[in-house]
Amino acid sequence: MDSTGQAYQHRPLSIKLWPPSQSTRLMLVERMTKNLTTPSIFSRKYGLLSKEEAEGDAKQIEDAAFATATQHFEKEPDGDGSSAVQIYAKESSKLMLEVLKRGPRVKEEGELISEKAGATETVFDISGGRRDFINGEEAAELLKPLRGPNSYTKICFSNRSFGLDAARVAEPILLSIRDQLKEVDLSDFIAGRPEAEALEVMTIFSSALEGCVLRYLDLSNNAMGEKGVRAFRSLLKSQTNLEELYLMNDGISEEAAKAVSELLPSTEKLRVLHFHNNMTGDEGAIAIGEIVKRSPALEDFRCSSTRVGSDGGVALAEALGACTHLKKLDLRDNMFGAEAGVALSKVIPAFADLTEIYLSYLNLEDDGAEALANALKESAPSLEILDMAGNDITAKAAASVAACISSKQFLTKLNLSENELKDEGAVLISKALEEGHGQLNEVDLSTNSITWSGARPLAEAVVQKLGFKLLNINANFISNEGIDELKNLFKKSPDMLGPLDENNPDGEDTDEEAEEDADHDELESKLKGLGI
């Protein structure tokens, strides 16, 4: 009975998602601070915020997003608050992007950066012009702004091919400014030159820049090989403060990888290390692993398309165990196999701050995929991107993958394309996506032998999510009637449904389809009480 004598009516439990707790709000501020202080394409162009400035900006962003979401919630008080949560996240992302594009208000040295025209130039970049060969006369004209007093701390000579005469013009200019340089981009700066000339040009640049205290060095797209790496000996050996190193598409063979490991004197401050599209192989991966072991501050590691097999994959996995600050891991397009996948799963728990992981086309199969999914489920609470495409994952491993996905409520992108999940696996994945996942905007399960029975729950799981952008289920076996139903589901937002031009409605014979329909009916009855 209540105080008026009326019989108390039991009411169903109602869960309100808004407003968030103070601890949740503080957690968002902390995550945004980390994102604002993480090197990115924006920081290279606009500068990297200090922790103090990023924290101040993050607090202001959160306050503004909270106010906007609260206003929305007050207009529909009968809702559960889920739409307010979506607006909170969306507004935070939008405001954070504005800060990244603004860049720091104060440089590390304490000098104010003007946001108006006529601000002090710190970046000298000749990469935007026509991609061509440069002779001595053209180099003298192009590099004229570097002569005499200037405040450039970053130079970018990418996209122009320096010959020997141009390098000799650049040499005294580089010598005159090397003490002020913090970032050097020499990617793709010897294209089309004969090997002997290219090596001499690299040696000239290396000697001229020797001793400069760099935080950022990009030597990508120069087809260096071991000879090229050693041509940069003077520059590499003098670097003790590097935070970012890029050696992509450089012909980094086993011997070249060993040379890099040998020449780098210190990598204790290294936060970003990218090897992509090289011919490194297993022995080269072991050498790269030695660099990784010496890089405890590593946050962003890319070793994709490098012809690394099982032995090299195991060596890299073991080396990564020392990198407890890792946020982004990209190992795509190698030949790891299940054994290397299992080895990697053993160090995954060390990556508490992991936000992006790319594990596609690693030949993981079910054993490797299950091991990794189980490890990720218990770690990386802020994971935003999960990519496990092209690994021959079947419905057998789908339950583990689904459980992992269910635990990742900050997930924005999920890629499981080119596997063998079929309807059973697709239903499990869709179940995992039904609840929460308010920031999810892209799901790819193309090429998975899925029929309408698997496509429908996937579509229903994502179509109502605010901010969702793309469901890709192309190249499957969805019936023509199923395609019509899909288009009807997405009729209010047709752009959210990806193209279906490669779908094959006759991909499986009638007997097999009938058998799968029977299996699916049984599966649905079992799934009714299943919680992932």
Side-chain angles (χ1 to χ4, degrees):
M1 304 287 286
D2 63 14
S3 58
T4 64
Q6 298 289 325
Y8 178 75
Q9 298 292 319
H10 177 71
R11 295 176 182 172
L13 180 64
S14 175
I15 298 175
K16 289 283 187 183
L17 300 177
W18 194 265
S21 66
Q22 188 62 26
S23 61
T24 299
R25 296 183 65 184
L26 290 172
M27 182 191 74
L28 180 64
V29 169
E30 185 179 340
R31 286 187 64 222
M32 287 194 292
T33 302
K34 285 183 179 179
N35 285 334
L36 290 171
T37 54
T38 299
S40 67
I41 57 173
F42 297 105
S43 65
R44 284 180 220 145
K45 186 171 182 180
Y46 304 106
L48 189 67
L49 275 69
S50 68
K51 186 176 180 182
E52 293 75 17
E53 186 174 5
E55 190 170 8
D57 282 324
K59 287 176 180 175
Q60 289 180 9
I61 290 169
E62 194 280 331
D63 283 342
F66 180 80
T68 301
T70 299
Q71 276 185 338
H72 171 83
F73 180 69
E74 287 171 353
K75 291 177 183 176
E76 48 174 42
D78 295 332
D80 64 358
S82 58
S83 60
V85 172
Q86 300 286 349
I87 288 171
Y88 183 51
K90 193 173 182 180
E91 190 71 9
S92 296
S93 297
K94 184 187 80 172
L95 294 173
M96 190 163 62
L97 184 60
E98 290 176 4
V99 170
L100 287 169
K101 288 182 176 179
R102 181 206 73 203
R105 291 193 178 92
V106 182
K107 291 201 301 188
E108 288 181 6
E109 295 82 7
E111 177 186 348
L112 286 176
I113 294 179
S114 170
E115 294 182 5
K116 299 177 182 178
T120 302
E121 289 287 343
T122 60
V123 179
F124 179 77
D125 187 351
I126 61 171
S127 66
R130 184 165 51 90
R131 192 173 191 271
D132 55 8
F133 285 74
I134 297 177
N135 59 32
E137 188 178 333
E138 290 167 327
E141 184 63 28
L142 272 173
L143 304 183
K144 190 182 290 184
L146 294 176
R147 296 181 185 274
N150 63 76
S151 57
Y152 293 114
T153 58
K154 176 178 180 177
I155 56 171
C156 178
F157 288 179
S158 181
N159 200 40
R160 301 297 183 91
S161 180
F162 281 74
L164 200 50
D165 53 347
R168 287 175 178 147
V169 169
E171 183 176 18
I173 297 174
L174 293 175
L175 280 166
S176 70
I177 64 170
R178 68 180 177 185
D179 289 343
Q180 69 196 49
L181 292 177
K182 301 296 181 187
E183 302 183 30
V184 169
D185 185 343
L186 297 178
S187 59
D188 192 23
F189 85 121
I190 51 164
R193 301 290 179 179
E195 181 183 293
E197 182 181 20
L199 289 171
E200 194 167 350
V201 169
M202 287 189 277
T203 301
I204 289 172
F205 272 78
S206 175
S207 298
L209 293 168
E210 180 182 4
C212 56
V213 184
L214 299 180
R215 60 162 295 277
Y216 172 103
L217 178 61
D218 190 346
L219 300 176
S220 301
N221 302 310
N222 285 314
M224 297 192 298
E226 184 190 4
K227 291 179 182 178
V229 171
R230 294 197 181 279
F232 277 110
R233 175 187 182 90
S234 299
L235 175 59
L236 290 172
K237 282 189 73 70
S238 66
Q239 298 309 304
T240 57
N241 287 279
L242 268 185
E243 295 179 24
E244 299 184 45
L245 176 61
Y246 301 85
L247 292 166
M248 300 185 287
N249 194 29
D250 269 333
I252 301 293
S253 60
E254 170 190 333
E255 294 77 13
K258 288 178 179 177
V260 175
S261 181
E262 169 198 326
L263 294 174
L264 280 176
S266 170
T267 56
E268 289 184 4
K269 295 183 178 181
L270 202 63
R271 293 185 291 107
V272 181
L273 178 60
H274 281 200
F275 289 87
H276 166 68
N277 197 28
N278 287 301
M279 48 187 185
T280 312
D282 282 349
E283 292 299 320
I286 292 170
I288 294 171
E290 292 302 315
I291 301 173
V292 171
K293 284 179 188 175
R294 306 195 303 263
S295 309
L298 202 62
E299 297 177 2
D300 180 350
F301 179 60
R302 184 178 186 185
C303 192
S304 51
S305 302
T306 46
R307 305 184 188 180
V308 177
S310 182
D311 291 345
V314 170
L316 280 177
E318 291 173 350
L320 284 165
C323 305
T324 56
H325 299 287
L326 205 65
K327 296 178 181 178
K328 182 177 178 180
L329 178 61
D330 186 347
L331 300 170
R332 283 176 282 193
D333 190 23
N334 283 298
M335 300 170 282
F336 278 24
E339 184 180 353
V342 171
L344 183 61
S345 73
K346 293 176 181 177
V347 299
I348 287 286
F351 311 147
D353 296 326
L354 195 68
T355 57
E356 301 179 31
I357 187 164
Y358 301 89
L359 303 171
S360 54
Y361 307 103
L362 292 178
N363 196 30
L364 294 173
E365 300 183 324
D366 283 340
D367 288 347
E370 278 191 292
L372 284 161
N374 290 336
L376 283 167
K377 179 190 172 187
E378 303 301 329
S379 55
S382 300
L383 194 69
E384 296 172 10
I385 297 177
L386 175 60
D387 183 349
M388 298 180 76
N391 279 302
D392 296 321
I393 304 171
T394 73
K396 175 179 177 292
S400 295
V401 175
C404 169
I405 292 167
S406 184
S407 70
K408 303 301 168 215
Q409 288 297 313
F410 294 111
L411 210 60
T412 62
K413 182 176 179 180
L414 172 65
N415 185 3
L416 292 170
S417 64
E418 296 190 49
N419 283 299
E420 290 294 331
L421 291 170
K422 299 190 175 180
D423 287 345
E424 184 178 352
V427 170
L428 287 168
I429 300 303
S430 64
K431 283 280 184 183
L433 294 173
E434 281 178 353
E435 299 297 326
H437 292 94
Q439 297 182 37
L440 190 68
N441 59 53
E442 187 173 336
V443 172
D444 190 343
L445 264 79
S446 58
T447 319
N448 265 286
S449 303
I450 298 170
T451 72
W452 170 233
S453 296
R456 180 179 59 192
L458 274 172
E460 291 172 344
V462 301
V463 70
Q464 298 299 331
K465 292 188 184 297
L466 192 67
F468 190 80
K469 293 178 182 176
L470 181 65
L471 173 65
N472 184 3
I473 45 176
N474 205 1
N476 282 303
F477 303 145
I478 306 167
S479 65
N480 291 326
E481 293 80 2
I483 296 290
D484 291 339
E485 290 289 342
L486 273 174
K487 290 178 178 178
N488 187 51
L489 275 171
F490 286 92
K491 63 183 178 183
K492 291 183 179 178
S493 47
D495 291 343
M496 283 169 50
L497 181 61
L500 295 163
D501 54 315
E502 296 179 24
N503 179 68
N504 180 8
D506 303 316
E508 295 179 331
D509 62 48
T510 308
D511 291 341
E512 206 168 348
E513 284 183 1
E515 190 176 313
E516 284 204 0
D517 285 342
D519 288 344
H520 179 67
D521 291 341
E522 184 181 350
L523 175 66
E524 281 210 320
S525 67
K526 289 180 179 178
L527 286 174
K528 282 181 180 175
L530 178 64
I532 300 176

